[in-house]
Amino acid sequence: MSMKPRYALSLLGAAIVSVLGNISAVQAAEVNIYSARQEELIKPLLDKFSRETGITINLITGKPDELISRMVSEGRNSPADILISTDVGRLSRAKQQGVLQSVESDVLAETIPASLRDPMNQWFGLTMRARPILYVPGKVSPSELSTYEDLASPKWRGRICIRSSDNIYNQSMTASMIANDGADAAESWAKGLLANFARPPKGGDRDQIKAAAAGICDIAIANTYYLGGMLADEKEKVAADAVKVFWPNQDGRGTHINISGAGVAKYAPNKAEAVKLLEYMTTTDAQQWYADTNHEYPIRADVKASEILQGFGEFKADQLQLEKLGELNADAIRVMDRAGWK
């Protein structure tokens, strides 16, 4: 029996729609990432995700503020699905600029501690780092150290190395001082800390560690993953070995921590795939890779830190909701400016 022309055309139309739908689905299997993390610190994990899921990753790296400004200017035309940044201050800024959206994910809610994610689910901590006191043994005894607040004591005059006030890590640390002690006390602390600088701030966290190793200062303030990376690098291990970690405020609120994290872009064209990637980055395998490769603390309690970080010892972390660091960022900058911290 021959097929009627109209019925045949109908089947042909349905087939075309089906093919086009499948092509569209294939084309949609991608995630566009704007990342403030260096490519080598994240690309191997993204490549593994692509191999396991078939989802293509398109990665653009840049400075965090520039990426946020780009998303603002692109508006609804932005191709970005995910913004990855290295500090909660920048993630909070992205939220305030209106370039992120809330997402619902049981996996993210159950895996990431509440203090390490946005209350409105617009950003999520993916790794954790601490900002302890690093001291030179022989010049400083651990018994002399206690709290961040004590670093403003005159006994440390000319002995501290730390980077500039325009660094987001220092802004977040100062914001934590405001959250815990109040703005007036934080300003007094900043002035006292400034009086104890061994030199005008310059360079990054690694440079502070190298300065301590070179005898320029007795104490350096730096994030743990920088020290961990230096200890894993034969070229920088000698300098890193010259300092030891002291965990401040262990009898009180705990040591200041921060995160690297990510959020889904407000106009993400591939939202489902973006959420799938964020969930993947909280799996035990991904968290172990972060821990072993980048020497960052996992956000999962069932994943161990790298052997290098374990060597720093266990510590009590400040449980402050990290969103507060973003909310207080502008106040922190004003406190640092009034203190004269350049």
Side-chain angles (χ1 to χ4, degrees), residues 131-135 140-153 155-156 177 189 219 221 245-256 316:
R131 198 163 181 76
I133 297 170
L134 308 181
Y135 67 96
V140 177
S141 168
S143 63
E144 298 177 82
L145 298 165
S146 57
T147 63
Y148 292 109
E149 287 82 352
D150 181 64
L151 294 179
S153 169
K155 70 182 180 183
W156 303 117
M177 299 295 289
W189 167 79
I219 287 175
I221 306 298
V245 174
F246 179 84
W247 300 111
N249 297 79
Q250 293 302 283
D251 292 333
R253 66 181 178 272
T255 297
H256 169 63
K316 175 184 175 182

Side-chain angles (χ1 to χ4, degrees), residues 85-106:
S85 193
T86 54
D87 185 279
V88 69
R90 291 292 177 22
L91 291 168
S92 181
R93 192 171 299 171
K95 175 185 174 182
Q96 293 166 7
Q97 292 283 321
V99 297
L100 301 179
Q101 62 171 295
S102 299
V103 299
E104 296 300 325
S105 165
D106 291 340

Side-chain angles (χ1 to χ4, degrees), residues 282-303:
T282 68
T283 61
T284 54
D285 286 348
Q287 287 287 300
Q288 196 66 66
W289 180 87
Y290 264 127
D292 294 337
T293 305
N294 294 340
H295 303 289
E296 295 177 86
Y297 288 99
I299 49 92
R300 294 182 64 117
D302 57 349
V303 175

Side-chain angles (χ1 to χ4, degrees), residues 202-229:
K202 64 177 181 179
D205 278 15
R206 290 172 185 252
D207 295 304
Q208 314 314 311
I209 297 168
K210 292 174 182 177
I216 296 172
C217 49
D218 300 337
I219 287 175
I221 306 298
N223 285 350
T224 44
Y225 79 96
Y226 287 112
L227 180 60

